[in-house]
Amino acid sequence: MFETTATVTSGTGTGTVIAESATARGRRARLALRGLQVLLALFYAFASALPKLIAHPSAAEVFNEMGWGSAGMYSIGALELAGAVVLLIPVLSSVAAVSLGALMVGAFITQITVFGGENAATPLILILPLVLIAWARRKDAAGLPRLVRRRS
């Protein structure tokens, strides 16, 4: 913990005030958020997208059961991989979190309608940290239109 000390003089005497630095607290929060983004990116890239992109039998079976086949499997895998990569780009992380959250809403609906809700909790659990990232990084995304205009 980072502490800041200050000597305060008032009409009644002199004293020392010890307080935790707001910047240290903010730094820890930013690091924790960044760690969460990295963990989610790793999950989406390796645990979720990779099996779809290499046509692992378990993924292929699920998509065939849904009737989406390999085209649906590769498409969802590519979207998840793209979301994982973009989640690590600071100015785009909020957009990536919203996009992956929308993908998880679709996964939840699919779990309910096609599979009877068997694994419906998984997409809901993944939506929570995505909402946190989207909210916390919203100011980073605010500069995105200005960046796009400058580039064009």
Side-chain angles (χ1 to χ4, degrees):
M1 172 170 29
F2 296 95
E3 293 181 345
T4 303
T5 60
T7 303
V8 178
T9 305
S10 68
T12 59
T14 303
T16 301
V17 176
I18 299 174
E20 185 177 349
S21 170
T23 58
R25 196 173 335 132
R27 187 177 311 119
R28 284 196 306 270
R30 283 191 307 275
L31 283 173
L33 185 64
R34 188 69 175 162
L36 180 61
Q37 286 176 243
V38 170
L39 284 175
L40 279 175
L42 289 171
F43 171 80
Y44 277 106
F46 293 107
S48 192
L50 186 63
K52 295 172 183 81
L53 294 174
I54 65 170
H56 190 272
S58 63
E61 181 182 317
V62 168
F63 278 87
N64 285 333
E65 187 177 333
M66 288 188 299
W68 292 15
S70 60
M73 179 178 63
Y74 292 129
S75 297
I76 298 295
L79 289 171
E80 288 175 341
L81 183 60
V85 170
V86 175
L87 196 58
L88 298 175
I89 301 171
V91 73
L92 297 173
S93 59
S94 180
V95 174
V98 170
S99 300
L100 286 169
L103 200 59
M104 290 301 98
V105 169
F108 173 74
I109 292 169
T110 301
Q111 287 294 328
I112 295 293
T113 58
V114 177
F115 299 107
E118 185 177 326
N119 294 316
T122 303
L124 290 179
I125 292 168
L126 289 169
I127 285 173
L128 295 175
L130 291 170
V131 167
L132 175 66
I133 291 167
W135 180 80
R137 299 289 189 197
R138 69 192 182 280
K139 290 182 182 172
D140 294 337
L144 191 57
R146 187 174 44 253
L147 181 65
V148 170
R149 278 193 300 268
R150 188 173 52 180
R151 300 260 178 184
S152 55

